[in-house]
Amino acid sequence: MLWVAVSLVGLGFLVALEIAARRYGEPGPITDQAREVVFAPKSGTVLYVSMALMMVVLTWRQRFIAVGAAIGIDIVFWLVRWAVGAEMMYGNGALWVTLACGVIALTRRTGRDRVLLLKGVGLALLLVAGRKTGYTWLLITSKTRPKVLDPYVATADHALGNPSWLAGRIVAATGTVGEHVLDFVYIQLAVAAVLVALYQLRNVAAEGRFPGHHLVRTFLVIGLLGPGIYMIYPVVGPVFAYGADGGAWAVANLWPDIPPPVGIPRPIPFDEITPRNCMPSLHTAWATAIFIHSLKGPPILRFAGGFWLIATLGATLGFGYHYGADIVAGVVFTVTIEAALRSLDRGWDRRGIQLVVYGAAVFTALLASYRYLPMEMAARPWLFGPLIIAAMASVIYGYVRTTQLWDRKPEPVHLPQPRREQQPELV
């Protein structure tokens, strides 16, 4: 019943987004996904990593068959598109194989095998649907929020030393090599997430069940809740509000050379194209989640998680997509969600409830201070800068301390051995 309820809620959410997108003359997530069964996908990489996520429920023989079938179908699609001069892209084969596994689960499997395969297919399709709904959410933010709050965040960011302006100059100094590396890390964030998730789900086929908590759950919840904050706190980012990418809508062409002057902030009108997707930084949120979940992996996975987090922070700031203030908010946002999901998995206790409430309170306080105290924050960076960092660090510390207590194995209790009484000698 729980799975049915969740499926119905998810379907209703997709239908609502489809209707909203149609109002603005754009295809919604359902139409966009159905189109990719035949036409060129927007991202073949996402479809293949989604299929890889589904294959954790298959045996090795079935995995080789699935990959071979996907590549074969893509070759056929590629030849047809090449012959008719259509747009070239791969990924249809992966989507066909994923859908075929769903049909096989319903028609050829029974019992636990059917449920396990359907969960694998559902997990893959959720990852794809999450990306599609993200596109629709961004469209809705640009159409429904004609004014943005960038001057408030930019003013509050003086308390942190305007890190986006500093990172932008550093990235520009590294030349094309640094830009290409950071751009690859920024774009392929989902690939890094799937690699960590594959490690966490490596034993699903053997054990016949999914673990109670894994990275994909955190990823999906972040993607579900984050766009709602975009609607409450619309921000486009320094490269648009204060840089050349904003064109005639930009306040001034200052980024990354000259930090914005401190003045009384006001909402500013902006175009109906640029997404209002800054507050909080979901790229930072997702990279933080990858890092947290990689900590329980082997050294190479921990190194990759740390590298992806650092490089993502460099890209989000260095490309002018985010301010320092929304980076801090993104970290608090993720740690709070992770604490809530872990509490849900292991059972709520006093420590878990306190941590989630505290994280939510800090996140709310950060957004409120950016909106209503930006002038005070800019005037007293020596006070508010350390205070913002300390607030973020306190949530992280609370999470680390709480999870360490959760993960601590109880020490075995040594009971005294019962004394053996001497048997009476038979006479």
Side-chain angles (χ1 to χ4, degrees):
M1 292 299 295
L2 177 63
W3 279 95
V4 171
V6 171
S7 300
L8 290 176
V9 171
L11 180 60
F13 180 68
L14 289 175
V15 171
L17 287 180
E18 182 77 24
I19 295 172
R22 293 282 181 172
R23 289 184 58 189
Y24 299 109
E26 297 288 341
I30 299 176
T31 303
D32 212 12
Q33 189 58 65
R35 180 182 179 276
E36 292 186 353
V37 175
V38 177
F39 295 97
K42 289 184 178 179
S43 175
T45 303
V46 172
L47 292 175
Y48 266 95
V49 297
S50 300
M51 185 187 73
L53 201 60
M54 180 269 299
M55 291 193 301
V56 298
V57 305
L58 305 179
T59 64
W60 279 106
R61 179 176 176 273
Q62 293 168 340
R63 291 169 186 172
F64 284 122
I65 294 173
V67 172
I71 294 174
I73 294 171
D74 265 332
I75 291 175
V76 174
F77 270 95
W78 189 89
L79 291 174
V80 172
R81 287 174 182 145
W82 176 75
V84 300
E87 180 185 357
M88 305 299 291
M89 178 53 73
Y90 63 94
N92 299 87
L95 182 57
W96 277 48
V97 168
T98 302
L99 295 175
C101 287
V103 174
I104 292 172
L106 293 173
T107 59
R108 304 292 296 274
R109 300 287 181 89
T110 58
R112 291 183 61 186
D113 291 339
R114 170 185 287 179
V115 173
L116 188 65
L117 185 52
L118 283 176
K119 285 184 178 181
V121 172
L123 206 59
L125 294 179
L126 275 175
L127 186 63
V128 177
R131 194 175 182 89
K132 299 300 180 185
T133 55
Y135 292 143
T136 305
W137 263 119
L138 296 183
L139 170 69
I140 293 174
T141 62
S142 63
K143 298 294 185 182
T144 60
R145 294 296 179 266
K147 292 186 177 182
V148 297
L149 304 178
D150 283 78
Y152 293 88
V153 184
T155 302
D157 220 37
H158 280 77
L160 298 173
N162 301 297
S164 182
W165 271 257
L166 176 61
R169 290 194 292 270
I170 293 174
V171 171
T174 61
T176 57
V177 176
E179 290 182 4
H180 287 316
V181 171
L182 293 180
D183 185 62
F184 174 81
V185 170
Y186 189 84
I187 293 175
Q188 301 300 336
L189 187 67
V191 177
V194 169
L195 292 177
V196 176
L198 288 176
Y199 174 79
Q200 292 181 320
L201 305 177
R202 66 193 182 279
N203 296 324
V204 169
E207 297 176 355
R209 63 180 182 86
F210 280 84
H213 178 54
H214 50 83
L215 176 60
V216 181
R217 296 178 66 195
T218 307
F219 242 65
L220 293 173
V221 174
I222 289 173
L224 179 65
L225 298 180
I229 312 298
Y230 293 163
M231 302 293 288
I232 300 172
Y233 210 115
V235 183
V236 293
V239 73
F240 298 104
Y242 294 96
D245 289 11
W249 296 93
V251 176
N253 190 1
L254 302 176
W255 188 89
D257 301 315
I258 305 172
V262 177
I264 299 176
R266 293 183 178 85
I268 59 172
F270 218 80
D271 61 35
E272 296 184 359
I273 300 173
T274 307
R276 282 63 164 151
N277 62 339
C278 265
M279 183 63 72
S281 169
L282 291 198
H283 257 79
T284 300
W286 283 319
T288 303
I290 292 173
F291 175 71
I292 291 174
H293 283 263
S294 69
L295 292 177
K296 292 188 177 182
I300 184 64
L301 199 64
R302 295 198 297 268
F303 172 80
F307 167 77
W308 224 271
L309 175 60
I310 295 171
T312 300
L313 293 176
T316 54
L317 292 171
F319 292 149
Y321 298 146
H322 290 280
Y323 304 90
D326 44 77
I327 296 290
V328 173
V331 172
V332 175
F333 185 67
T334 299
V335 174
T336 304
I337 289 175
E338 183 68 18
L341 291 177
R342 287 203 58 176
S343 296
L344 184 65
D345 175 51
R346 68 181 304 276
W348 290 93
D349 59 9
R350 182 174 60 86
R351 289 182 178 275
I353 294 173
Q354 288 176 343
L355 179 59
V356 172
V357 171
Y358 179 69
V362 170
F363 180 74
T364 303
L366 287 173
L367 266 62
S369 62
Y370 299 159
R371 180 65 173 83
Y372 298 106
L373 298 174
M375 291 293 293
E376 291 77 2
M377 297 173 72
R380 299 175 180 84
W382 52 269
L383 172 62
F384 285 96
L387 192 59
I388 292 172
I389 301 301
M392 178 184 69
S394 67
V395 177
I396 297 173
Y397 173 76
Y399 175 82
V400 171
R401 182 175 175 83
T402 302
T403 53
Q404 283 179 346
L405 292 174
W406 286 344
D407 296 336
R408 185 180 299 169
K409 296 181 180 179
E411 297 181 0
V413 179
H414 297 284
L415 298 176
Q417 295 293 330
R419 295 179 61 185
R420 299 181 62 183
E421 297 183 2
Q422 295 183 357
Q423 295 293 330
E425 184 179 352
L426 298 177
V427 177

